[in-house]
Amino acid sequence: MARQTSAFGFDNDDIVIATHPHQPSATTFRRGFTNWKNTTVSFKNHEKSACHRAATEIIITLPSTTKDIGNLLSKEHATSKRRNRAAFYHILSSIRYLARQGLAIRGHGDDSDGNFIQLLRMKAKDDDNLSSWMTRKDNSYTSPDIQNEIVELMSSHVLRVIANDLRKSPFLSIMIDETRDCANTEQVTVVVRMVTYEFDVHEQFLGMYGVPSVDAQTLTTAIKNVFERFNFSFNKLRRQCYDGASAMSGAKSGVARRILEIEPRALFTHCYGQSLNLAACDTMKQIKLLKDALDVSFEITKLLKYSPRREGIFLRLKENLPGSTATGIRVLCPTRWTVRADSLASILENFQALQETWQESIKVAHDTETKARIGVEAQMNTFDYLFGTMLGHMVLRHTDNLSRALLDKGLSAAEEQQVARMSLETLKSLRTD
């Protein structure tokens, strides 16, 4: 007589049934599974068994039916946990608010005078639970280490969301620029530009990364590290946009050339904004009349804005002039030439008030150096300065408008070139006999 076998290929004589009064029956096998020819049928039969259905039901229902053992043993534990979570939510929302507004979390000196602690104390006036939480001596989660950890977690979450959006784009372009902070540390600013399938343009700031130097090899390595960190593929890179420094745009060993070796389709474009700034700078410096007028204007803004006493005299005289609605004096930027039109306009609008300010300032000046520097009054009275300032304002206001247009992320490269041609035609039309 043939021996009977189970659905799993075991002889029934080799099966031992183990039972538990509170659990479904479980089967313990002595010799493992052997019926591999009928594997599919055997597994389907097992899915219909009572023990498999019971185990599946436990896996599904167990997470939703079980509770924290602390909550089951004590109501006070559950209440304490709910209050702690509510207090911690205030901590998170306060840090998020300060980070969103770009405000310092900690103040000068003692941390108890910082913006973060003061914001929590203000919230505690309307929340007794938070007020009692703030009186705790330990485990209040308000220390500088906890603050930094929360900010880091928030920034990581934001970067993950940005990275996920960028990875969905079929093509990317990268823009970087090096700068030096107040601690004399070289940093690289990284911005990635993308276009969605709906042709919406987005520019995402990915962060500032410290670098030991700004040579081409180091900057290229920084770009590779950013792409590796965010899991970007160089196959999607179609454009590079840098300034005209040799380390960035060098034809033989610059950053642009090194990236082209990785992805030949990543074409390099010299930043239009910097090109415009360099063109305006070279043009103005080659015309002595404009150069002298701008140098005097720069000295005027320094004399006024860096001296509270002289600026106070200027504001008082400006208010006393009949019908004066002009704005205050704006400092002439020493590096950016495409933001100088507003500064020159402020000088022209306040010309009379400035002349009276120099006359009164000379009367109260005691040192010879100050009197010599206030000699700009004589230069302001010359025809060359007045004509040069008016001419500079006429030219620079058009380059300023062009610079603002080039910063519009919605414009394509072809549209930006068209705007530049229109500005050039406008400047040409100003020439008359």
Side-chain angles (χ1 to χ4, degrees), residues 113-125:
D113 294 331
N115 295 329
F116 171 64
I117 297 298
Q118 294 299 326
L119 182 59
L120 284 179
R121 289 176 178 175
M122 183 183 67
K123 288 185 174 183
K125 293 180 179 180

Side-chain angles (χ1 to χ4, degrees), residues 5 7 23 53 78 94 124 159 169 207 237 247 268-269 271-272 278 310 313 344 368 383 393 416:
T5 60
Q23 293 182 353
R53 290 197 300 269
S94 298
L159 288 176
S169 175
L237 192 62
F268 166 68
T269 300
C271 175
Y272 288 166
L278 294 176
R310 281 192 291 271
I313 295 174
L344 296 179
T368 306
F383 171 80
H393 172 255
E416 290 180 344

Side-chain angles (χ1 to χ4, degrees), residues 346-406:
S346 66
I347 293 176
L348 293 173
E349 293 171 357
N350 296 282
F351 205 84
Q352 181 180 353
L354 285 172
Q355 288 180 316
E356 295 181 3
T357 300
W358 308 140
Q359 295 173 3
E360 188 167 338
S361 298
I362 291 177
K363 296 178 183 178
V364 298
H366 300 290
D367 56 293
T368 306
E369 181 181 358
T370 302
K371 291 181 179 180
R373 295 180 67 188
I374 300 181
V376 296
E377 178 196 6
Q379 295 176 337
M380 288 183 64
N381 292 329
T382 62
F383 171 80
D384 287 349
Y385 172 75
L386 183 59
F387 179 76
T389 303
M390 296 180 66
L391 180 61
H393 172 255
M394 182 183 297
V395 174
L396 290 177
R397 68 180 182 181
H398 293 289
T399 59
D400 289 5
N401 292 333
L402 176 58
S403 178
R404 282 190 287 269
L406 295 178

Side-chain angles (χ1 to χ4, degrees), residues 209-227:
Y209 302 90
V211 291
S213 63
V214 290
D215 59 278
Q217 179 62 44
T218 302
L219 296 177
T220 304
T221 303
I223 294 176
K224 292 180 180 179
N225 291 339
V226 170
F227 269 63

Side-chain angles (χ1 to χ4, degrees), residues 181-233:
D181 62 9
C182 58
N184 202 31
T185 302
E186 292 287 354
Q187 293 183 328
V188 175
T189 304
V190 180
V191 177
V192 174
R193 179 183 174 98
M194 61 169 285
V195 180
T196 65
Y197 287 102
E198 291 77 20
F199 298 101
D200 294 328
V201 180
H202 298 278
E203 292 181 355
Q204 301 291 359
F205 171 69
L206 297 184
M208 302 183 70
Y209 302 90
V211 291
S213 63
V214 290
D215 59 278
Q217 179 62 44
T218 302
L219 296 177
T220 304
T221 303
I223 294 176
K224 292 180 180 179
N225 291 339
V226 170
F227 269 63
E228 182 178 356
R229 176 184 179 187
F230 291 95
N231 195 21
F232 296 155
S233 173

